[in-house]
Amino acid sequence: MTHSDSHSPYRANAEGFFGDFGGAVLPPHLAGPMADVAVAYEEASADPKFQDELQALLSKYVGRPSLLYFAENLTRELGGARVYLKREDLNHTGAHKINHCLGEALLAKRMGKKKLIAETGAGQHGVALATAAALVGLECEIHMGAIDIEKQHPNVIRMELLGAKVVAVEEGGRSLKEAVDSAFGVYAAAPEEYFFAIGSVVGPHPFPSMVRDFQSVVGREARAQILEAEGRLPDLLIAAVGGGSNAMGLFDAFLNDESVRVMGVEPGGEGLEGTRHAATMTLGTPGMLHGMQTKVLQDAEGEPSPVHSIASGLDYPGVGPQHAHLESLGRAEYVSVSDAETLAAFQALSRIEGIIPALESSHALAQVIKVAPTMPQDAIIIANLSGRGDKDVDYVAELLKQAATA
Ligand SMILES: *Cc1c(COP(=O)(O)O)cnc(C)c1O
């Protein structure tokens, strides 16, 4: 199914609108280049050769299908629903992002582009994109906030080893939002040279639909795997939401199964009262950000608010427009968990299952820990374990030390 499938109420129309959200709001000179991407993607998604090439890379290079793991210890410990984890952490490069980066790299190559450009938060998108660029044979330029460069330095080394040029962004909060602006500025000056490889289901049309399609392999696999393991569909899906790509990837294949509850988990940070969170779905209001109409954490002038999360891959003041749409239709619900709950879930999964999850994914796990005990023992939850936590261990050790001495 392509993104313009008009038969589903959950998908975008031809202009990239999911109900009131989405679209492509761009400076006039970028409207043409972005429309070219939309047309190229439309053609590629209908071309069996493109799909076969992508599928071959996903199975032979990424290592798909990823496991759907029954977390028996965690299930016993929580004493409620049966908990399954979709193991995107086992992908080559250690997270779900490689799924859409390979798709974007193949599309860029098909369009005759020489260079991929992108922003990165935790460094996961940058590493995944640099990996895809190396494999497919494209140049790669990654913009990253200076704070994130400090927090995630091993990922900077990885990107450079993979042949990418890493640009440190010193503006404003020196984090993900500024990195998006910086990369977009370079792209806007030379759109014929670059393919702007957006790192989530955000930005102007066609990216929210295209990145979702590339990630939808996660949910298609999970659906087949749970039917094989349990002989029925799950009751609840849970995934962390930053921009929303791992969540849409898991949700997409189940949206027409109305019995399956769908839940996104946002970073509640240090609490929803002040500004030390990034709970866009919970507290955001309709607005414009990065070329799309969506929910935004913003001030009275429409300036995006400063955001915070313990997981730098989630500290984004916007959200993918399809999530805003799914919420408005009542098809998906969104909750938040705090940094402290996330840190506890990170430690719990490590000890109980011997799996160190990414801090981003730990948001989904924190919600599992909250809801599984309230559900019957024959209920089934699938949570997306979007990435591994190796990148986070130094930061977590520091946080635990601070907590111990506080
Ligand atoms: C980037 C990242 C996320 C957040 O991005 P989404 O687009 O919301 O999926 C979640 N988990 C991991 C491991 C990530 O690297």
Side-chain angles (χ1 to χ4, degrees):
M1 269 195 292
T2 68
H3 57 275
S4 58
D5 178 1
S6 55
H7 301 298
S8 169
Y10 306 125
R11 295 197 163 217
N13 67 13
E15 286 75 48
F17 276 97
F18 301 87
D20 295 336
F21 303 102
V25 185
L26 293 160
H29 74 290
L30 287 181
M34 203 53 77
D36 290 346
V37 176
V39 169
Y41 176 59
E42 193 89 41
E43 287 169 6
S45 61
D47 179 354
K49 257 171 53 193
F50 180 86
Q51 296 299 342
D52 289 350
E53 196 178 353
L54 180 56
Q55 191 48 54
L57 293 183
L58 291 176
S59 58
K60 296 190 171 73
Y61 185 73
V62 177
R64 305 207 69 89
S66 67
L67 294 174
L68 183 69
Y69 169 71
F70 175 48
E72 196 174 351
N73 295 344
L74 184 65
T75 295
R76 195 183 319 114
E77 182 94 6
L78 297 176
R82 297 165 69 74
V83 178
Y84 283 83
L85 303 176
K86 185 59 173 159
R87 297 290 308 275
E88 292 300 295
D89 60 314
L90 297 177
N91 294 341
H92 176 48
T93 69
H96 69 289
K97 288 196 177 78
I98 191 71
N99 301 326
H100 66 246
C101 287
L102 285 172
E104 291 179 320
L106 285 184
L107 185 65
K109 198 174 173 187
R110 183 184 167 103
M111 293 179 74
K113 304 285 183 188
K114 297 266 177 304
K115 284 189 203 169
L116 297 173
I117 186 166
E119 78 291 343
T120 194
Q124 291 286 95
H125 178 54
V127 170
L129 194 67
T131 302
L135 180 70
V136 170
L138 295 167
E139 288 175 50
C140 186
E141 179 177 321
I142 302 294
H143 293 236
M144 188 169 183
I147 287 185
D148 293 332
I149 285 184
E150 257 170 61
K151 259 168 83 174
Q152 310 284 356
H153 200 252
N155 276 342
V156 177
I157 298 169
R158 287 187 188 103
M159 286 184 269
E160 289 174 347
L161 284 169
L162 292 161
K165 175 179 157 193
V166 180
V167 178
V169 179
E170 301 285 357
E171 279 81 30
R174 297 149 78 222
S175 189
L176 180 59
K177 176 185 154 304
E178 291 76 21
V180 177
D181 294 339
S182 171
F184 196 72
V186 171
Y187 167 71
E192 62 297 331
E193 218 177 299
Y194 289 98
F195 184 95
F196 192 91
I198 294 176
S200 188
V201 287
V202 299
H205 177 68
F207 282 90
S209 295
M210 178 168 79
V211 171
R212 177 207 61 216
D213 289 350
F214 290 146
Q215 285 296 345
S216 63
V217 64
V218 174
R220 283 197 307 276
E221 286 175 4
R223 198 172 185 286
Q225 288 166 321
I226 200 71
L227 288 174
E228 170 83 25
E230 294 274 357
R232 71 175 184 89
L233 291 173
D235 299 281
L236 176 62
L237 306 177
I238 299 182
V241 174
S245 68
N246 85 87
M248 277 317 309
L250 177 64
F251 298 169
D252 189 54
F254 296 92
L255 288 179
N256 293 324
D257 303 309
E258 301 289 338
S259 69
V260 180
R261 259 175 86 194
V262 164
M263 189 181 277
V265 186
E266 302 194 293
E270 293 169 10
L272 299 183
E273 304 76 32
T275 58
R276 299 284 291 166
H277 63 78
T280 311
M281 290 296 299
T282 308
L283 295 174
T285 49
M288 190 68 71
L289 183 70
H290 297 139
M292 62 181 161
Q293 181 73 33
T294 188
K295 285 179 94 167
V296 184
L297 288 169
Q298 56 193 334
D299 65 18
E301 277 77 53
E303 274 300 303
S305 306
V307 285
H308 158 84
S309 168
I310 193 174
S312 51
L314 301 182
D315 63 352
Y316 182 60
V319 66
Q322 193 171 5
H323 286 290
H325 181 52
L326 290 176
E327 182 193 49
S328 75
L329 294 175
R331 181 64 190 94
E333 53 202 296
Y334 295 85
V335 297
S336 67
V337 299
S338 70
D339 285 350
E341 290 166 330
T342 300
L343 193 56
F346 179 98
Q347 293 173 276
L349 198 74
S350 301
R351 287 194 194 152
I352 296 170
E353 291 288 351
I355 298 171
I356 301 176
L359 281 170
E360 291 81 2
S361 322
S362 299
H363 284 74
L365 297 166
Q367 185 61 19
V368 167
I369 289 171
K370 278 190 195 175
V371 298
T374 71
M375 295 169 71
Q377 293 194 347
D378 59 355
I380 299 169
I381 298 176
I382 298 179
N384 203 358
L385 190 47
S386 54
R388 66 180 178 225
D390 302 49
K391 67 182 178 60
D392 297 314
V393 295
D394 289 341
Y395 182 55
V396 165
E398 199 181 298
L399 291 172
L400 293 175
K401 205 165 93 188
Q402 281 170 16
T405 57

